[in-house]
Structure formats: structure tokens, C-alpha cells
Amino acid sequence: MASTTREKFVSFINNRWLVFVAAMWIQSCAGMGYLFGSISPVIKSSLNYNQKELSRLGVAKDLGDSVGFIAGTLSEILPLWAALLVGAVQNLFGYGWVWLIVTGRAPVLPLWAMCILIFIGNNGETYFNTGTLVSGVQNFPKSRGPVVGILKGFAGLGGAIMSQIYTVIHSSNPANLILMVAVTPAVVGVSLMFLIRPVGGHKQIRPTDGASFTFIYGVCLLLAVYLMAVMLIQDVVVVSHNIITVFTIVLFVILVVPILVPIMTSFFTETNEPNDTIEEPLVPKRDDQEPGLQTPDLILSEVEDEKPKDVDLLPASERHKRIAHLQAQLMQAAAEGAVRVKRRRGPHRGEDFTLTQALVKADFWLIFVSLLLGSGSGLTVIDNLGQMSQSLGYDNTHVLVSMISIWNFLGRVGGGYFSELVVRDYAYPRPVAMALAQLVMSVGHIFFAYGWPGAMYIGTLLIGLGYGAHWAIVPATASELFGLKKFGALYNFLTLANPAGSLVFSGMIASSIYDREAERQAQGSVFDPNDALRCNGSICFYLTSLIMSGFCIIACILSMILVRRTKSVYTHLYGKTRT
């Protein structure tokens, strides 16, 4: 009996679902950058920054969130727990020092030094993201869309969760939110870092996995609906502190509920049955090679180059026959010296690429530029949400920040789920889901541009859903087109699109237009030069929003070009599941 209990406990510790749940908890504290819209007003007022200076801090935050070369490299050299520890230390150091400066406990530093501190603090998120995503895609190689969507979704929901916790603390000093941003991710990350690791998840495939994912999706939807309801109640009705405390306790219960999945699969499922678990290969077998046929890699490369484009779009049985016939012809011709077999020059789509090999591929840059235009415009809205809401006369900035976090969460979870349906049921390229998300975002920017009644609520809905979907679709797409072996480095390079887009949209376009309009409105009015410039009306972000809407449409076109180029890859990866 004791031996059986010990075996089940070991199974629980090494259960890939336990790693996944722990990763969800870490990610729920990792997305602290999404709270920048809430902490930026207190930084702006305490240090007397104008909008352009504040936008530079926002760009530094975005750079910190996206420059993950070191995190990607360390994830390949060190254990994942060590990378998570580095991220926790950076987060505590960077935001902790900012809190000391804003509260007057440390001397004020120049703007460039503040940018470095924000960069260091937010750069800790790249270690959390890399550690959780690498373990996730390795433990769930056949469910990349749902896993990435859920993990990135919890990162996007971190702002709403932290806002609710801050409401319970009931602090009269808004600067204390910065302290929470510094401490909470570090504590949670250090507490769970030893659980985040690959555990041979491809050998733990169970018939109940579909039900487990359905349960996790249900918890995600419940969490989003609950947070939205609590937020609206607290905004509309005066709620006592005791009720707010109860709301927060229920929130923690919902966050803990997913632990039931590894508990049930480890302690309440018989594992002695021979067919209880099965193993799936990390890399699918090539269709180019028939069972029992030992074909040299060079011939496989020739088949890839010589086969007609429409072969990959045929039903699996017909595809196998056509490819086998072409293989036989090539092998015979090579044996007779009639053809000269070319040496392979690097991997094909769907195989393992290094970052250097991926950087010379057009598909990689199509993903990067499309992500830059789409997510960059969404991040600009997130970073400037406080100023956008104030310019349109909304005084409930924290509610809008929480709302866009929830929509961001649902966009990531929904983007992963919807894109997985596209590839599983239709063997169609996953980027088509990204193109749809970018069309949704272009409409959201139009609402912000014209400032119609309720525009902030509709705009945050559309932008949040579209922006969030990018971060479920892009990592899964990159792993499918360029492999899992160097996924950490590939993913962290693609995230550079975020700060690049933010630098263009927020640092150059939005801030310049905002300050110019604020200066125009200040002319001829009584204005204290010691006060920060403030712009009022939809004109403040009108031109910026129209520009971003146009760029989202361009991003959609680029995504559809990628769809056209990668149809054969997705037919190879997922076409056999439809037969």
C-alpha cells in the first residue's frame, strides 16, 4: 500500500498536467507589463513627465518584455528553474527600485536610468514566458495551440488579477501598486520554479486528455466571466471591503481548481492498463517515406524538390501513392546515374531550424512583420489606455485596464482553440486565424479614432481579443514551421516585433500627435507650466488610430500570403488526421 502511494505521488510530481498548471499560475503573475496603463499616471505625476517622456518609458517596458535572447539562450543551457530564478530577481530589482523612487525613498534618476530600470523589471517576464512555453510545447507536442493559448492567456489576465488583489489591500497610495508588481511575480516564480521542466509529456498521452483540456477551458471561461462580473459590480455599486475580500477569495479558489486535473490523473486513474497511456512522436513521420522503405535522406530531399505542388493537397492515400511512385523513379534514376542527387541545404519547413537558418526564410519574416504591425498597434493601445480614456472623459481607467486584460485573456485562449480547430479539422494553415484577428483589430482602432459613445468599451473588446490572439497563434505557428528544438530562441526573436511596433506607433507617432494637440489646446488658456500637458477629445488619438487601423489591414494581407505559402506544410502535419 505504501509502495503504491509512493508511486502515485511520484507520478503526480512528474505529471505533465502538474507542470502545465504550475505554468498557468506563474503566467498569471508574469504579465505585469499590462498594468503599465495603471501605474503610468502615478509615475507621470510623481516625476512630472510629459506624454513623450512617458511613452519612452512604455517603449523601454516593451523592449524589456520582448528582448528575450538571453532568456532563450539560458533555457537551452541551464535548467528551466534557473532561468525562472533570474527572471524573478530582475523583476524584483527593476520595479522595486522604481517604487522606491516614486515614493521618495530613493533619489530621482534621469529618464534614461528610469528606462533601464523599467527594462530590467519587465525583462523578467521573458524568463517566465520562455520557461513555461518551452516546457508546455515539449510536454504537449500535439496540442500546441491550446497549451500556448492558455499559458499566454493567463499572462494577459495578470493585470486584472493584480488589480483585484490591489483593491482588497485598499491602499490609499497608488504607488503601492508598483510594489505589488515588483514582489508578487518574484514570490510566485521562486515558489514554483522547480516544477517547470520537461517530463516526457509525449509519452503521457491519455484517452482522458480531451476531457482535461475541456475542463481547463471551462475554468478559463469561468475565470474571465467572474472577473468581468466582479469588476462591473465594484464599479457600479458601492461594495464593502468584506464583500471585496470574499470576491478575491473566490478568485483564488478558481485559480486553484485546475490542480484537480493532475490529482485525478495521478491518484484516481488506474495506470496499470497497457493502453492507458500512449506515446506520440515529437516530430511527425514524413509522408515522403512509405512504411518499410529505407530511403536515403538525399532522396527524400529530391522528392521534396521534385514533387508537384498539388500533391500535398491530395487525400492521404493518393498522396502516399504519388510520392512512393516518385521515390521509386528517383532511386532508379540515381542508381543508373541518370540524375544527380543534390545535397540538402538546410531543413525544410516543419523540421528543426536554428535561428540563423530561420532568419533567411521569407516565411519567418512574414510572421515577424505581420506580428509587428498587428500586435504593435494593440500594444500601443494598452500602453496609452490611461491617456486615451482620460481624453474621452472616462474616469474609470482601472476598469478599462482590467477589461482589456480580460479580453486579451479570452483572445489568447480563443485564438489557440480556434486556430487548433482550423489545423485539426481542416489541415488549413494556422495563420489564417491571425489574419482574422488583425481584421478585428482594424475595426477596433476605428472606434477609438471617432470616439463614439461607448467607443472605449467596444474598442477595448476588439483590440483585446485581436491582440491576445496573436500570442496564441504566432508561437504555435513558429513551432510548426521551424521546429521545437530551438523554439526558445525563435520565439524570443519574434517577440522583438512587439517593442519595434510600440517604438513606431507609441514612441514616434502617438506621443508626438498627442503632445502637439495638447500644446495647441493649451494655447490661449490658463496653464501652469509645472503641470503635465493634457489633451481632451477624440482628436488626441484620431490620426494615430486611423494609421494603426491601416497597418492592421496590411498585416492581414501579409498573413494571408503566409497562408498561401504554407498550405503544403499543414497538409503534411495535420492532413493524415482527417483520413
Side-chain angles (χ1 to χ4, degrees), residues 348-502:
H348 293 291
R349 296 188 190 105
E351 299 176 351
D352 288 323
F353 282 70
T354 65
L355 178 59
T356 304
Q357 291 169 331
L359 287 174
V360 299
K361 296 297 181 181
D363 295 338
F364 190 81
W365 287 106
L366 282 171
I367 296 173
F368 184 88
V369 177
S370 179
L371 181 64
L372 184 152
L373 297 177
S375 71
S377 67
L379 190 60
T380 299
V381 172
I382 293 173
D383 288 346
N384 292 278
L385 194 60
Q387 286 70 40
M388 293 177 77
S389 60
Q390 290 175 359
S391 67
L392 293 177
Y394 292 82
D395 56 2
N396 52 351
T397 301
H398 68 285
V399 173
L400 293 168
V401 170
S402 297
M403 285 183 66
I404 204 167
S405 293
I406 293 171
W407 301 133
N408 187 4
F409 168 72
L410 290 177
R412 295 178 186 218
V413 175
Y417 178 78
F418 174 72
S419 67
E420 195 71 12
L421 290 181
V422 170
V423 299
R424 292 285 180 185
D425 294 351
Y426 303 99
Y428 204 73
R430 195 183 296 270
V432 72
M434 186 162 69
L436 178 61
Q438 287 156 348
L439 278 180
V440 169
M441 291 184 69
S442 68
V443 176
H445 287 303
I446 294 295
F447 274 90
F448 283 130
Y450 287 96
W452 295 315
M456 287 301 298
Y457 296 103
I458 299 175
T460 52
L461 166 65
L462 298 178
I463 298 297
L465 290 175
Y467 174 80
H470 281 76
W471 294 106
I473 298 167
V474 167
T477 301
S479 71
E480 288 161 340
L481 297 182
F482 304 105
L484 291 171
K485 189 174 181 180
K486 300 294 182 181
F487 174 74
L490 294 167
Y491 166 74
N492 280 299
F493 185 90
L494 286 172
T495 58
L496 287 174
N498 235 20
S502 176

Side-chain angles (χ1 to χ4, degrees), residues 40-55 387 390 514-523 525-536:
S40 59
V42 66
I43 295 176
K44 183 177 182 179
S45 60
S46 299
L47 304 181
N48 198 27
Y49 286 158
N50 59 32
Q51 188 63 27
K52 183 171 289 187
E53 290 171 326
L54 192 65
S55 294
Q387 286 70 40
Q390 290 175 359
Y514 180 95
D515 283 343
R516 184 183 64 190
E517 184 60 30
E519 290 172 358
R520 189 190 66 80
Q521 292 182 5
Q523 293 176 357
S525 61
V526 179
F527 176 73
D528 187 350
N530 293 322
D531 292 337
L533 286 172
R534 180 170 174 175
C535 179
N536 295 304

Side-chain angles (χ1 to χ4, degrees), residues 287 312-313 319 427 567-576:
D287 288 333
D312 286 317
L313 303 179
R319 186 169 67 248
K567 283 184 179 180
S568 62
V569 184
Y570 282 89
T571 302
H572 164 62
L573 287 174
Y574 298 101
K576 59 174 69 68

Side-chain angles (χ1 to χ4, degrees), residues 504-574:
V504 174
F505 294 130
S506 183
M508 296 182 181
I509 298 176
S511 61
S512 298
I513 295 175
Y514 180 95
D515 283 343
R516 184 183 64 190
E517 184 60 30
E519 290 172 358
R520 189 190 66 80
Q521 292 182 5
Q523 293 176 357
S525 61
V526 179
F527 176 73
D528 187 350
N530 293 322
D531 292 337
L533 286 172
R534 180 170 174 175
C535 179
N536 295 304
S538 61
I539 190 65
C540 303
F541 289 93
Y542 172 77
L543 182 58
T544 299
S545 296
L546 289 182
I547 292 172
M548 293 192 294
S549 180
F551 277 127
C552 283
I553 294 175
I554 295 175
C556 177
I557 295 172
L558 294 178
S559 295
M560 291 308 298
I561 294 174
L562 182 64
V563 167
R564 181 177 178 82
R565 290 173 56 90
T566 58
K567 283 184 179 180
S568 62
V569 184
Y570 282 89
T571 302
H572 164 62
L573 287 174
Y574 298 101

